Amino acid sequence: MPDHRRCATISIYLLPILLLVASLFVGRYQMPASLVVADIVNTVISFISGTASPMSTQHTVLFSVRLPRILAALLVGSSLSLAGVSFQGVFRNPLVSPYILGVGAGAGFGACVGILLWNSQLAIQLLSFTCGLIAMFGAISMGKVSKGTGTLVFVLSGIIVGSIFTALISLAKYVADPYDDLPEIVFWLMGSLSSIRYNDLLWIIVPMLSGTLVLFLLRWRINILSLGDEEARSLGVNVDQIRLIIIVCATLVTSAAVSISGVIGWVGLVVPHIARMIVGPNYNRLLPMSMVIGASFMLLVDDLARTVTATEIPLGIITSLLGAPLFAYLLKRGRMGWN
């Protein structure tokens, strides 16, 4: 790899860290940069020395409001991008997104039920995560009992399951209290990280890390699956088993991400194409690059959402406004191939 490309790649890998630090300075609560730097330094010193950090309004805003939200944006962006690029390799289709098996609609319905029945953050997240997994298993089960073969059956099954859960979401909106529950349902479905706290991040770390670890261990097999089923079988790969494992792990990280952020589109669809343009189709490099770019993109979107206007803009709106034109540009350039 030429030196300039190596330097550019290293810079991209460092981008999430730089954006994390820069995002601490961004927000509607105005704080002088000197106070932000001083608070960060004092907190680091207190952590190293084992003493309690001095509590202040600035400290609370930085480390109890902004930091968990920043970490959530990084996790959600990297997870959706990882799932998207994995699905695109398994299904050998550049138009596949993490929601191809109806996970987004399933998770959305779970959140609607949580809002209608309990309206607690934990119930919403758990039901969203669970229903996302149910949607995936429903699509897989439907694909296995059908007479078709190949990945197309799973795609069609995902469309069917997604349509069913979308109808159930509409039903939930119809019966929701128009002055209380309905606005919360609509805002959740458009995506937001405004209410994220550290406790919300603790329980999603396990499914995210578990799914990510397995996908990284299988990334060379995704390379083989992207060649086609016959070629993969000729190389001794159990195609059906490996495909199922990858689908389950990608859905696991997707459901965990959606459960805390809502349904955010375009990230898992567009980011893999950008990463593919930078490092090529080899999944050994493509998976980590997709995660890094996805995390950076999601953090930038969240910074825009909480600073552009006086009231926060839902993340799904911004990702659609940015992702659709970018996808059209990639389509025009003819850079939509998956290999």
Side-chain angles (χ1 to χ4, degrees), residues 216-236:
F216 261 79
L217 293 176
L218 295 177
R219 63 189 184 275
W220 67 274
R221 293 182 183 268
I222 304 179
N223 276 331
I224 298 176
L225 289 180
S226 65
L227 299 175
D229 290 358
E230 295 299 326
E231 289 81 356
R233 289 191 178 95
S234 67
L235 293 173

Side-chain angles (χ1 to χ4, degrees), residues 5-332:
R5 293 202 63 180
R6 183 180 294 109
C7 292
T9 302
I10 294 174
S11 300
I12 294 174
Y13 279 115
L14 294 176
L15 188 58
I17 300 175
L18 299 176
L19 289 175
L20 185 153
V21 176
S23 297
L24 289 172
F25 295 82
V26 177
R28 287 194 295 272
Y29 185 84
Q30 298 296 324
M31 288 186 288
S34 57
L35 288 180
V36 175
V37 173
D39 206 338
I40 294 174
V41 172
N42 291 334
T43 301
V44 173
I45 293 175
S46 299
F47 178 78
I48 294 175
S49 61
T51 59
S53 302
M55 297 303 295
S56 63
T57 302
Q58 291 87 351
H59 181 86
T60 301
V61 170
L62 280 176
F63 294 99
S64 298
V65 178
R66 290 184 184 175
L67 185 57
R69 180 167 183 164
I70 290 169
L71 295 176
L74 294 173
L75 288 173
V76 169
S78 61
S79 296
L80 292 177
S81 301
L82 173 66
V85 73
S86 300
F87 275 126
Q88 288 177 8
V90 168
F91 288 98
R92 305 180 66 241
N93 190 326
L95 301 179
V96 168
S97 76
Y99 308 134
I100 187 66
L101 297 180
V103 177
F109 173 69
C112 291
V113 173
I115 293 171
L116 290 176
L117 298 183
W118 293 282
N119 202 14
S120 71
Q121 191 74 3
L122 181 60
I124 293 171
Q125 292 175 359
L126 289 177
L127 283 171
S128 175
F129 177 76
T130 303
C131 288
L133 294 180
I134 290 174
M136 179 269 296
F137 283 115
I140 291 177
S141 300
M142 191 179 300
K144 285 186 175 296
V145 300
S146 67
K147 296 181 180 180
T149 59
T151 58
L152 180 60
V153 175
F154 291 112
V155 174
L156 296 177
S157 300
I159 293 174
I160 295 171
V161 171
S163 298
I164 293 173
F165 277 109
T166 300
L168 293 175
I169 291 174
S170 298
L171 179 62
K173 291 180 180 178
Y174 180 75
V175 302
D177 184 344
Y179 300 104
D180 185 16
D181 296 333
L182 182 58
E184 187 172 353
I185 289 174
V186 172
F187 189 73
W188 191 95
L189 291 173
M190 290 190 293
S192 175
L193 296 172
S194 59
S195 60
I196 292 296
R197 297 296 180 264
Y198 290 115
N199 290 337
D200 301 321
L201 300 178
L202 290 178
W203 77 269
I204 69 163
I205 288 294
V206 174
M208 278 187 175
L209 288 182
S210 301
T212 300
L213 178 61
V214 175
L215 289 174
F216 261 79
L217 293 176
L218 295 177
R219 63 189 184 275
W220 67 274
R221 293 182 183 268
I222 304 179
N223 276 331
I224 298 176
L225 289 180
S226 65
L227 299 175
D229 290 358
E230 295 299 326
E231 289 81 356
R233 289 191 178 95
S234 67
L235 293 173
V237 174
N238 188 332
V239 173
D240 295 333
Q241 183 184 66
I242 296 300
R243 179 184 291 132
L244 180 61
I245 293 174
I246 293 172
I247 288 175
V248 170
C249 291
T251 303
L252 196 65
V253 297
T254 301
S255 297
V258 173
S259 68
I260 65 168
S261 68
V263 183
I264 301 174
W266 292 98
V267 179
L269 177 61
V270 176
V271 168
H273 293 291
I274 299 175
R276 201 172 280 113
M277 292 171 61
I278 297 174
V279 298
N282 187 346
Y283 274 79
N284 290 321
R285 297 189 300 267
L286 183 57
L287 252 65
M289 180 60 70
S290 296
M291 293 183 67
V292 168
I293 297 177
S296 304
F297 176 74
M298 195 71 250
L299 186 52
L300 285 173
V301 168
D302 187 58
D303 288 342
L304 288 174
R306 58 193 175 97
T307 56
V308 170
T309 61
T311 58
E312 184 170 320
I313 303 174
L315 298 177
I317 294 176
I318 299 179
T319 56
S320 296
L321 291 175
L322 295 177
L326 181 58
F327 199 67
Y329 170 75
L330 294 174
L331 182 63
K332 181 181 178 181

